[in-house]
Amino acid sequence: MQKKIIFFSLLILSVSCFAQNTSTNLNSAEILQAMKKLNTVGSVLYVAAHPDDENTRLLAYLANERKFRTGYLSLTRGDGGQNLIGKEQGELLGLIRTQELLAARRVDGAEQFFTRANDFGFSKNPEETFSIWNKDSILADVVYTIRKFKPDVIICRFPTTGEGGHGHHTASAILALEAYDAAADPKRFPEQLKYVEVWQAKRIFWNTFNFGTTNTTAPNQLKIDVGVYNNLLGNGYGEIAAESRSMHKSQGFGSAKQRGSIVEYFKLLKGDSVKSDLFDGISSQWNRFNGTDKLQKQINSTIATFNPSLPAKSVTPLIAIYNTLKLIEQKGSFNYWKQLKLKEVEQLLLSCSGLWLETFANDYMAIPGQAMNMTTQILCRSNATVKINGLSFLNQSDTVTAFTTKENELYTFKHKEKLNSNLNYSNPYWLNLPHSIGLYAVHNPLLIGLPENISNTTILYDLNIQDLNLRVQRPVVYKYTDPVKGEIYRPIEVLPPATIAISDKVFIFTNEASKTIQLTVKANQANVIGRLNIVTEYGWIVQVVKPDFKLVNKGDEITIDISISKLPSARNSELNAQLLIEGIVYNKSISRIEYDHIPYQFILSDAKANLVSIDLKKTEQTIAYIPGAGDDVPACLKQIGYNVIMLTDELLASEDLSKYKTIVTGIRAYNTNDRLQVYYTKLMDYVKQGGNLIVQYNTNSRVGPVVAKIGPYPFTVSRERVTNENAEVRFKGDSLYVLNYPNKITSRDFEGWVQERGIYFATELDPQYQTVFSMNDPNEKPNEGSLIIAQYGKGNFVYTGLAFFRELPAGVPGAYRLFVNLLSLPPHQ
């Protein structure tokens, strides 16, 4: 029983730790909305595969109009998707999309959960998906979420029959349907029963859809109008949904607000039949439990007598509700709802009493074993009787003398506390351990499903509102004032005393016998004295010029040069950097994410880089690059000795392009740069006069339409792709120039590719285009659109959907060799 209580506390905190960093008091409309929600004891869990799969309109309606506890279970964090706002890929993109989901939930009122599944990229069928995810592991996570969330109704976004298009989509429905039964079976995943109980949802639906040419709705399906208007919130659910969905900025999902009637359709998959509503025959009021008549009357009376001008008058009846609820003892799911509603009443009491509670540190960085300086501010903006009994900083001390607040008088306390030397770094919990391509490693079962870390730097406020004792826990935060943006909050970061930045993740060695690289050591505290050590495998010789360092001030940095030489026998290896500080080894690098629409984020990872030796020949030394949505291809080309000139709009307009033998466009350049339409003629003239123009993939969809002409002859950018990174690549002709100069391309050059072969292949080709490769995923017809080349005048035009933007940063030798060949295409006489 003890572990179940501990688990429930984690569940309550799981909505979003950072969303509660500030003392966010509700306004009167929100207070009344929350009071009305006290009467609802029903829940709905929505299940899909990725961030942005969720139906935000339906979530907003269920959470706010029907006032159900509403959750969205996204099987993945979206790590394998595209990024329209920056260069982040993989884990960094997954962290961005996690926070975008949490931002969306703060708008629509639902809660967010995940499984351990890693989004490994586009999958064409559920069989492939399950072979990579390990189906049983992800099924266990879905069952776990159902058992802890206890939904009355489960809703799938996608069907099990494939109309959702993506293998992950279909897999999410298959898992939801299996978990519907498995969650109620004590023989399935019995190890979970130490923390949760079996749970049988009443029914499971598919929320059918009409996407483009795929219409799965039908007149005989259950229909609900979710387009109603909420007077308290001042919005209809189509408007709230648009604000929520627009938080998925990395995916380009800015949405227009819809107003008026909007009908959602549902097909029953399992469970009791329905006639008119998702909850037909299911009581979602307190009358589903015995002995709650008094509680319901108290809630109804509190709602009826609420005075929006004087919310503090509701403090006394809310305390009565709290005490009545606490006295009721029942078995089964009642205790689940009891604990949840006690937390809701607590939040209402804090809001109605106008109580502001906040503790902020003087720095966002915290080091285990070091002191943290904090300021606590307490303010009661009403005449409610509030007594502060004490404060526990970081769960260690209680130093504040008890006092009773006075209306609108701000109380400020300064405190200094030494952090525990064993305090965990505040790294995303699912990234603390090495993981497979399909599954994150999380050893603590109580963390599985949580959207983000629970703060390990907290303050406990022990207080009385009238005679009711509450113990309110809040994270310590950091805040500052930006001259443009105003007051900004950011989470506390628990970090090692120093971190290491390596200039690149992969170092490519071609014909060089040695290379000098730079590492930067940054102090996260004052007076850091240490030594840098480098560890590699046999065949690589490393010399650190000046390994010892002393950083006096916090934030100081030192750049250390390292010379690396490879012996002829050297194999591809890994470089590991370590700092020896006061006898302790630290080996962390930090990657930061800063966007205005989400809180500051970072990832701590091992400070390492790959050392890759490639048999590579190249010709030209200078190329031009037109930036697109963001990629690391220019940095990779610099690694192998190219001088890369970034062609801005200004340079495109003014430069004589004939000075460049080759121009490359970044990924999705034609989706993100409207000016490329203006420069179309200039670019085509460049090719005509003997230039070599290489266009990397663009999308052609609602999110990323191609608005400009791209090539000299017609072709269509399709959604066709080859997702199997090991798919056979068949050459259209061994004698093709691009396959022979300056590097001889063979099937070995397609070994070791990551995530996929390519995306957004070319189709409907003009006869002037020459195809180079044929490839396909299992059980599909051959596709020849991964790389097309056309002679135009004296020059060459290339379009490629091959995933160079992934392969080059990953250090794939064959990708470098092929890309250099594209850069080296000669002019025609």
Side-chain angles (χ1 to χ4, degrees):
M1 186 65 183
Q2 171 110 19
K3 288 185 177 178
K4 291 179 182 177
I5 293 173
I6 292 172
F7 169 78
F8 194 87
S9 68
L10 285 174
L11 180 62
I12 294 297
L13 286 166
S14 68
V15 181
S16 172
C17 174
F18 190 71
Q20 300 175 24
N21 279 348
T22 60
S23 185
T24 49
N25 287 32
L26 308 176
N27 62 41
S28 287
E30 292 167 336
I31 287 173
L32 184 54
Q33 176 80 3
M35 283 182 176
K36 291 182 175 182
K37 194 167 185 176
L38 288 179
N39 255 333
T40 304
V41 286
S43 57
V44 180
L45 183 65
Y46 201 86
V47 181
H50 310 106
D52 75 37
D53 284 346
E54 77 274 24
N55 184 337
T56 54
R57 187 169 54 226
L58 179 60
L59 293 180
Y61 169 82
L62 293 171
N64 297 284
E65 187 66 24
R66 301 296 298 274
K67 301 174 182 62
F68 297 131
R69 187 180 188 201
T70 305
Y72 173 45
L73 173 60
S74 175
L75 298 191
T76 76
R77 297 176 184 268
D79 322 64
Q82 309 303 315
N83 183 0
L84 271 66
I85 61 174
K87 296 190 295 184
E88 295 88 355
Q89 295 179 27
E91 295 171 350
L92 289 169
L93 179 58
L95 189 55
I96 291 172
R97 298 185 71 184
T98 294
Q99 290 299 322
E100 288 179 338
L101 273 176
L102 290 171
R105 299 296 79 81
R106 289 192 282 272
V107 173
D108 59 39
E111 300 174 42
Q112 186 61 51
F113 303 99
F114 293 95
T115 73
R116 291 169 291 167
N118 184 14
D119 180 358
F120 56 83
F122 192 88
S123 175
K124 294 184 177 178
N125 56 71
E127 291 77 21
E128 178 193 41
T129 298
F130 288 139
S131 70
I132 296 174
W133 274 355
N134 186 345
K135 178 183 177 182
D136 209 46
S137 296
I138 307 306
L139 176 61
D141 292 357
V142 179
V143 168
Y144 192 43
T145 301
I146 292 172
R147 286 172 171 174
K148 72 179 182 180
F149 191 74
K150 300 185 184 299
D152 296 300
V153 172
I154 299 172
I155 302 174
C156 302
R157 168 79 282 190
F158 301 105
T160 60
T161 45
E163 291 90 336
H166 197 312
H168 296 180
H169 293 169
T170 306
S172 72
I174 293 171
L175 290 169
L177 205 59
E178 290 188 22
Y180 172 82
D181 292 321
D185 185 351
K187 295 180 181 178
R188 301 297 303 276
F189 311 109
E191 68 280 0
Q192 298 178 1
L193 301 182
K194 293 185 291 184
Y195 313 107
V196 291
E197 299 171 337
V198 295
W199 180 256
Q200 178 63 71
K202 302 300 187 297
R203 51 183 70 107
I204 182 169
F205 294 93
W206 166 30
N207 177 200
T208 58
F209 49 78
N210 185 357
F211 296 157
T213 59
T214 305
N215 184 2
T216 61
T217 64
N220 64 343
Q221 293 173 356
L222 175 66
K223 294 179 281 292
I224 299 177
D225 186 352
V226 301
V228 296
Y229 182 79
N230 189 310
N231 288 289
L232 289 176
L233 301 180
N235 280 297
Y237 295 110
E239 296 169 299
I240 295 172
E243 292 183 20
S244 174
R245 191 155 187 78
S246 295
M247 291 299 172
H248 295 295
K249 299 184 188 303
S250 68
Q251 305 307 296
F253 272 86
S255 301
K257 295 182 178 181
Q258 295 179 301
R259 298 172 178 89
S261 177
I262 307 168
V263 176
E264 292 289 342
Y265 292 79
F266 303 88
K267 180 178 180 179
L268 182 66
L269 301 179
K270 280 187 178 182
D272 301 335
S273 61
V274 295
K275 293 182 179 180
S276 60
D277 189 74
L278 298 169
F279 271 68
D280 274 356
I282 304 172
S283 174
S284 59
Q285 304 297 307
W286 282 111
N287 60 13
R288 74 189 288 175
F289 303 112
N290 295 324
T292 57
D293 291 347
K294 178 182 176 181
L295 177 64
Q296 279 195 286
K297 290 177 181 178
Q298 287 176 318
I299 294 172
N300 292 334
S301 174
T302 303
I303 294 170
T305 59
F306 176 67
N307 183 343
S309 297
L310 296 170
K313 287 193 172 183
S314 294
V315 168
T316 298
L318 284 169
I319 289 175
I321 292 171
Y322 190 98
N323 289 329
T324 298
L325 184 55
K326 202 162 187 179
L327 288 173
I328 302 174
E329 296 290 343
Q330 290 187 26
K331 295 181 179 180
S333 64
F334 176 82
N335 190 58
Y336 165 85
W337 284 107
K338 173 181 175 178
Q339 298 301 323
L340 187 65
K341 294 301 177 180
L342 284 173
K343 297 299 292 185
E344 291 180 16
V345 176
E346 178 184 298
Q347 177 59 48
L348 282 167
L349 282 166
L350 296 174
S351 294
C352 287
S353 63
L355 192 57
W356 174 269
L357 306 169
E358 181 177 76
T359 298
F360 53 91
N362 68 343
D363 195 343
Y364 64 88
M365 289 187 186
I367 312 299
Q370 300 295 311
M372 175 187 282
N373 291 296
M374 295 166 281
T375 300
T376 294
Q377 291 187 328
I378 298 174
L379 174 66
C380 183
R381 293 180 282 199
S382 77
N383 61 0
T385 302
V386 176
K387 180 181 178 182
I388 305 300
N389 302 316
L391 308 175
S392 295
F393 294 90
L394 310 179
N395 298 320
Q396 293 185 41
S397 62
D398 187 348
T399 59
V400 176
T401 303
F403 65 95
T404 300
T405 62
K406 295 180 181 179
E407 184 175 356
N408 213 34
E409 182 171 327
L410 182 64
Y411 298 86
T412 301
F413 305 95
K414 301 287 186 179
H415 185 76
K416 185 176 183 179
E417 188 76 52
K418 183 178 180 180
L419 297 175
N420 191 313
S421 59
N422 295 321
L423 194 65
N424 291 329
Y425 300 143
S426 42
N427 198 45
Y429 72 86
W430 63 95
L431 299 178
N432 282 328
L433 298 170
H435 60 83
S436 68
I437 187 176
L439 187 69
Y440 283 117
V442 181
H443 290 169
N444 182 352
L446 296 181
L447 293 177
I448 293 174
L450 298 185
E452 60 181 345
N453 293 356
I454 296 171
S455 174
N456 57 357
T457 53
T458 60
I459 180 171
L460 184 68
Y461 304 84
D462 187 334
L463 58 91
N464 275 42
I465 299 179
Q466 292 185 14
D467 293 325
L468 178 65
N469 179 247
L470 298 174
R471 294 171 66 82
V472 180
Q473 184 167 296
R474 295 273 170 81
V476 179
V477 297
Y478 173 74
K479 65 178 182 178
Y480 66 100
T481 302
D482 182 277
V484 175
K485 302 173 184 176
E487 188 174 75
I488 294 179
Y489 284 81
R490 67 184 295 168
I492 296 296
E493 301 177 0
V494 181
L495 301 175
T499 49
I500 312 164
I502 305 178
S503 56
D504 291 279
K505 294 181 179 179
V506 177
F507 292 99
I508 303 297
F509 289 76
T510 54
N511 299 320
E512 317 101 307
S514 65
K515 178 178 291 194
T516 298
I517 67 172
Q518 294 184 326
L519 275 68
T520 301
V521 179
K522 182 174 183 178
N524 299 322
Q525 68 179 42
N527 299 315
V528 178
I529 301 173
R531 182 180 180 89
L532 173 67
N533 295 322
I534 301 295
V535 179
T536 60
E537 293 183 4
Y538 175 79
W540 298 88
I541 301 172
V542 178
Q543 290 183 323
V544 184
V545 179
K546 294 181 180 179
D548 297 315
F549 60 87
K550 180 178 181 180
L551 301 172
V552 177
N553 301 306
K554 182 177 183 178
D556 283 355
E557 297 181 356
I558 185 170
T559 299
I560 300 175
D561 289 337
I562 297 173
S563 175
I564 305 179
S565 304
K566 67 181 181 72
L567 300 175
S569 60
R571 297 179 299 177
N572 291 348
S573 181
E574 193 173 81
L575 176 152
N576 290 274
Q578 301 174 347
L579 302 177
L580 183 63
I581 301 171
E582 296 183 358
I584 301 175
V585 174
Y586 299 93
N587 67 334
K588 294 302 178 184
S589 177
I590 190 165
S591 301
R592 294 195 172 277
I593 299 171
E594 296 185 15
Y595 291 104
D596 286 345
H597 67 297
I598 59 175
Y600 287 91
Q601 299 294 308
F602 70 92
I603 290 177
L604 284 175
S605 56
D606 290 346
K608 62 183 181 180
N610 290 324
L611 304 176
V612 178
S613 178
I614 301 178
D615 178 14
L616 182 69
K617 303 178 182 67
K618 59 186 180 67
T619 54
E620 295 299 317
Q621 296 298 315
T622 299
I623 65 167
Y625 202 91
I626 301 174
D631 58 69
D632 287 323
V633 172
C636 294
L637 297 179
K638 291 177 183 178
Q639 269 267 351
I640 56 174
Y642 282 98
N643 178 30
V644 181
I645 306 298
M646 301 304 287
L647 280 184
T648 62
D649 284 351
E650 182 180 352
L651 288 177
L652 270 174
S654 61
E655 284 272 278
D656 177 4
L657 300 183
S658 64
K659 65 198 295 185
Y660 305 111
K661 179 181 181 297
T662 299
I663 297 175
V664 181
T665 68
I667 61 173
R668 300 192 302 278
Y670 287 84
N671 300 132
T672 58
N673 188 348
D674 295 339
R675 298 290 297 171
L676 288 181
Q677 176 68 64
V678 176
Y679 303 126
Y680 171 77
T681 300
K682 186 173 184 177
L683 287 169
M684 291 303 103
D685 287 344
Y686 160 78
V687 176
K688 197 171 186 178
Q689 297 303 316
N692 186 27
L693 178 62
I694 301 171
V695 176
Q696 295 184 84
Y697 91 88
N698 288 264
T699 65
N700 197 2
S701 64
R702 179 195 70 81
V703 175
V706 176
V707 295
K709 293 181 181 178
I710 297 180
Y713 311 111
F715 72 93
T716 297
V717 175
S718 74
R719 294 183 62 81
E720 294 180 9
R721 61 185 71 198
V722 173
T723 63
N724 185 342
E725 65 271 28
N726 298 311
E728 179 189 4
V729 178
R730 298 172 291 275
F731 295 10
K732 297 288 290 182
D734 290 340
S735 63
L736 293 176
Y737 190 93
V738 72
L739 298 178
N740 288 278
Y741 184 81
N743 301 287
K744 175 65 177 177
I745 303 301
T746 70
S747 60
R748 291 189 60 187
D749 289 299
F750 290 92
E751 295 175 0
W753 284 47
V754 298
Q755 186 158 323
E756 58 208 349
R757 287 293 190 204
I759 53 180
Y760 301 105
F761 287 179
T763 57
E764 301 177 346
L765 307 180
D766 186 273
Q768 296 289 336
Y769 288 106
Q770 181 180 50
T771 60
V772 180
F773 302 118
S774 173
M775 61 187 72
N776 55 273
D777 280 321
N779 303 316
E780 293 189 358
K781 64 180 182 180
N783 192 310
E784 298 182 355
S786 64
L787 176 61
I788 61 172
I789 302 174
Q791 178 182 342
Y792 182 62
K794 296 180 180 179
N796 303 286
F797 172 84
V798 176
Y799 175 84
T800 179
L802 292 171
F804 290 111
F805 74 102
R806 295 195 195 279
E807 313 309 324
L808 298 184
V812 176
Y816 276 91
R817 289 163 49 82
L818 178 57
F819 203 85
V820 166
N821 282 17
L822 292 173
L823 297 176
S824 305
L825 288 172
H828 304 274
Q829 300 302 318

